[in-house]
Amino acid sequence: MPVLSVALLSGEVVAEDLHCSSDDTVLVLLRKVQLAMDGVSCRLCTSDGRILRKHALLEHCKLADGDVLTAIRSGLPPPIAPERKHCCHLDRDMCRDVSIGAQHEGWGRKWSTCSYECNECQEAVTSDCRAVVCRACKSFWHAGCV
């Protein structure tokens, strides 16, 4: 069970002595870091420059006790959660090959708040990629994750 710390690029330590289980995902660690950073959205990077994927298990990330990870702020607003926790994602509600920006504004949301994560891999769905949307719960997937 590694104990990790996280710092910004400036060297400022934002989280120390984070106790992690090897069967936790990076997402579990990332939530702890974002809580310490007042909800600021970020990615985690190792000392050798590898960006950790959110769905990866910590035991597969080759992290050692005492490692210091770097938090890279995304510059995006925090991701918007789906409106429903439990949705069947029926075919009639699914639409493929959509622009998240256009869909977001079509729902009457401000352009400056457009930030979503893929329901499958929990990575950012960026405005430059085509995505799949469930209009019932207002959630997105990368086309390759469905």
Side-chain angles (χ1 to χ4, degrees):
M1 178 162 38
V3 178
L4 306 168
S5 295
V6 178
L8 298 175
L9 287 171
S10 66
E12 176 189 347
V13 176
V14 293
E16 290 184 291
D17 299 327
L18 294 170
H19 294 268
C20 305
S21 172
S22 58
D23 58 348
D24 282 344
T25 62
V26 172
L27 184 60
V28 171
L29 175 61
L30 187 60
R31 297 286 186 229
K32 292 178 184 180
V33 172
Q34 289 175 331
L35 196 65
M37 294 175 55
D38 296 324
V40 172
S41 185
C42 66
R43 302 287 305 266
L44 295 175
C45 182
T46 62
S47 59
D48 63 355
R50 288 180 297 117
I51 293 179
L52 301 178
R53 297 193 51 90
K54 293 179 184 179
H55 64 278
L57 290 175
L58 290 176
E59 69 181 335
H60 296 139
C61 294
K62 300 178 184 168
L63 301 174
D65 199 32
D67 278 356
V68 178
L69 301 175
T70 302
I72 302 169
R73 294 179 185 175
S74 72
L76 296 172
I80 298 171
E83 287 194 348
R84 296 185 200 164
K85 285 189 177 190
H86 305 288
C87 181
C88 296
H89 310 301
L90 300 173
D91 282 343
R92 70 172 184 249
D93 297 323
M94 303 295 282
C95 188
R96 299 183 185 287
D97 197 33
V98 299
S99 157
I100 69 161
Q103 185 63 64
H104 176 83
E105 289 186 22
W107 289 328
R109 296 176 172 172
K110 294 181 181 180
W111 67 269
S112 61
T113 63
C114 186
S115 178
Y116 295 91
E117 289 182 341
C118 175
N119 274 350
E120 181 65 25
C121 70
Q122 283 80 47
E123 296 292 329
V125 179
T126 58
S127 58
D128 61 338
C129 73
R130 306 308 279 180
V132 178
V133 63
C134 176
R135 291 185 172 150
C137 66
K138 298 184 179 176
S139 61
F140 291 92
W141 292 262
H142 296 108
C145 289
V146 179

mmCIF file of all heavy atoms in Angstrom, residues 31 33-42 76-79:
data_model
loop_
_atom_site.group_PDB
_atom_site.id
_atom_site.type_symbol
_atom_site.label_atom_id
_atom_site.label_comp_id
_atom_site.label_asym_id
_atom_site.label_seq_id
_atom_site.Cartn_x
_atom_site.Cartn_y
_atom_site.Cartn_z
ATOM 1 N N ARG A 31 -9.593 11.743 -7.010
ATOM 2 C CA ARG A 31 -10.679 12.381 -6.238
ATOM 3 C C ARG A 31 -10.139 12.971 -4.934
ATOM 4 O O ARG A 31 -10.537 14.057 -4.528
ATOM 5 C CB ARG A 31 -11.796 11.384 -5.942
ATOM 6 C CG ARG A 31 -12.496 10.837 -7.167
ATOM 7 C CD ARG A 31 -13.424 11.848 -7.800
ATOM 8 N NE ARG A 31 -14.161 11.221 -8.883
ATOM 9 C CZ ARG A 31 -14.284 11.732 -10.091
ATOM 10 N NH1 ARG A 31 -13.738 12.884 -10.375
ATOM 11 N NH2 ARG A 31 -14.974 11.108 -11.010
ATOM 12 N N VAL A 33 -7.070 14.031 -4.436
ATOM 13 C CA VAL A 33 -6.254 15.190 -4.820
ATOM 14 C C VAL A 33 -7.149 16.372 -5.159
ATOM 15 O O VAL A 33 -6.920 17.496 -4.710
ATOM 16 C CB VAL A 33 -5.324 14.845 -6.005
ATOM 17 C CG1 VAL A 33 -4.624 16.081 -6.527
ATOM 18 C CG2 VAL A 33 -4.322 13.776 -5.590
ATOM 19 N N GLN A 34 -8.194 16.138 -5.938
ATOM 20 C CA GLN A 34 -9.096 17.221 -6.321
ATOM 21 C C GLN A 34 -9.812 17.799 -5.102
ATOM 22 O O GLN A 34 -10.061 18.991 -5.049
ATOM 23 C CB GLN A 34 -10.088 16.743 -7.381
ATOM 24 C CG GLN A 34 -9.411 16.522 -8.716
ATOM 25 C CD GLN A 34 -10.322 15.926 -9.771
ATOM 26 O OE1 GLN A 34 -11.258 15.191 -9.470
ATOM 27 N NE2 GLN A 34 -10.031 16.225 -11.016
ATOM 28 N N LEU A 35 -10.112 16.976 -4.128
ATOM 29 C CA LEU A 35 -10.707 17.460 -2.884
ATOM 30 C C LEU A 35 -9.734 18.399 -2.175
ATOM 31 O O LEU A 35 -10.126 19.467 -1.700
ATOM 32 C CB LEU A 35 -11.066 16.270 -1.990
ATOM 33 C CG LEU A 35 -12.005 16.537 -0.841
ATOM 34 C CD1 LEU A 35 -13.383 16.948 -1.345
ATOM 35 C CD2 LEU A 35 -12.131 15.305 0.027
ATOM 36 N N ALA A 36 -8.467 18.037 -2.142
ATOM 37 C CA ALA A 36 -7.443 18.876 -1.515
ATOM 38 C C ALA A 36 -7.215 20.172 -2.300
ATOM 39 O O ALA A 36 -6.770 21.168 -1.747
ATOM 40 C CB ALA A 36 -6.126 18.109 -1.402
ATOM 41 N N MET A 37 -7.549 20.152 -3.600
ATOM 42 C CA MET A 37 -7.368 21.324 -4.462
ATOM 43 C C MET A 37 -8.688 22.077 -4.669
ATOM 44 O O MET A 37 -8.855 22.770 -5.662
ATOM 45 C CB MET A 37 -6.787 20.900 -5.819
ATOM 46 C CG MET A 37 -5.382 20.351 -5.722
ATOM 47 S SD MET A 37 -4.742 19.709 -7.295
ATOM 48 C CE MET A 37 -4.936 21.095 -8.394
ATOM 49 N N ASP A 38 -9.627 21.918 -3.753
ATOM 50 C CA ASP A 38 -10.924 22.607 -3.814
ATOM 51 C C ASP A 38 -11.682 22.324 -5.108
ATOM 52 O O ASP A 38 -12.304 23.215 -5.686
ATOM 53 C CB ASP A 38 -10.754 24.110 -3.617
ATOM 54 C CG ASP A 38 -10.224 24.457 -2.238
ATOM 55 O OD1 ASP A 38 -10.609 23.773 -1.277
ATOM 56 O OD2 ASP A 38 -9.427 25.406 -2.132
ATOM 57 N N GLY A 39 -11.611 21.079 -5.589
ATOM 58 C CA GLY A 39 -12.389 20.666 -6.748
ATOM 59 C C GLY A 39 -11.782 21.002 -8.094
ATOM 60 O O GLY A 39 -12.400 20.748 -9.125
ATOM 61 N N VAL A 40 -10.575 21.534 -8.127
ATOM 62 C CA VAL A 40 -9.928 21.881 -9.401
ATOM 63 C C VAL A 40 -9.667 20.600 -10.190
ATOM 64 O O VAL A 40 -9.114 19.631 -9.671
ATOM 65 C CB VAL A 40 -8.603 22.642 -9.165
ATOM 66 C CG1 VAL A 40 -7.848 22.833 -10.467
ATOM 67 C CG2 VAL A 40 -8.883 23.981 -8.507
ATOM 68 N N SER A 41 -10.063 20.593 -11.455
ATOM 69 C CA SER A 41 -9.871 19.443 -12.322
ATOM 70 C C SER A 41 -8.398 19.336 -12.724
ATOM 71 O O SER A 41 -7.772 20.329 -13.073
ATOM 72 C CB SER A 41 -10.757 19.612 -13.559
ATOM 73 O OG SER A 41 -10.684 18.476 -14.371
ATOM 74 N N CYS A 42 -7.846 18.125 -12.653
ATOM 75 C CA CYS A 42 -6.439 17.951 -12.986
ATOM 76 C C CYS A 42 -6.165 16.525 -13.452
ATOM 77 O O CYS A 42 -7.039 15.662 -13.380
ATOM 78 C CB CYS A 42 -5.545 18.289 -11.799
ATOM 79 S SG CYS A 42 -5.726 17.166 -10.395
ATOM 80 N N LEU A 76 -9.997 23.319 -17.433
ATOM 81 C CA LEU A 76 -11.419 23.144 -17.735
ATOM 82 C C LEU A 76 -12.218 23.225 -16.447
ATOM 83 O O LEU A 76 -11.711 22.927 -15.375
ATOM 84 C CB LEU A 76 -11.664 21.775 -18.376
ATOM 85 C CG LEU A 76 -11.018 21.511 -19.721
ATOM 86 C CD1 LEU A 76 -11.207 20.048 -20.111
ATOM 87 C CD2 LEU A 76 -11.597 22.428 -20.783
ATOM 88 N N PRO A 77 -13.481 23.592 -16.553
ATOM 89 C CA PRO A 77 -14.329 23.524 -15.356
ATOM 90 C C PRO A 77 -14.485 22.057 -14.947
ATOM 91 O O PRO A 77 -14.237 21.159 -15.754
ATOM 92 C CB PRO A 77 -15.654 24.124 -15.823
ATOM 93 C CG PRO A 77 -15.639 24.096 -17.298
ATOM 94 C CD PRO A 77 -14.207 24.060 -17.727
ATOM 95 N N PRO A 78 -14.885 21.789 -13.721
ATOM 96 C CA PRO A 78 -15.097 20.395 -13.302
ATOM 97 C C PRO A 78 -16.122 19.719 -14.213
ATOM 98 O O PRO A 78 -17.060 20.372 -14.698
ATOM 99 C CB PRO A 78 -15.641 20.526 -11.879
ATOM 100 C CG PRO A 78 -15.280 21.891 -11.430
ATOM 101 C CD PRO A 78 -15.192 22.742 -12.654
ATOM 102 N N PRO A 79 -15.957 18.414 -14.462
ATOM 103 C CA PRO A 79 -16.904 17.706 -15.338
ATOM 104 C C PRO A 79 -18.321 17.736 -14.783
ATOM 105 O O PRO A 79 -18.526 17.664 -13.572
ATOM 106 C CB PRO A 79 -16.371 16.278 -15.366
ATOM 107 C CG PRO A 79 -15.028 16.311 -14.765
ATOM 108 C CD PRO A 79 -14.907 17.556 -13.961
#
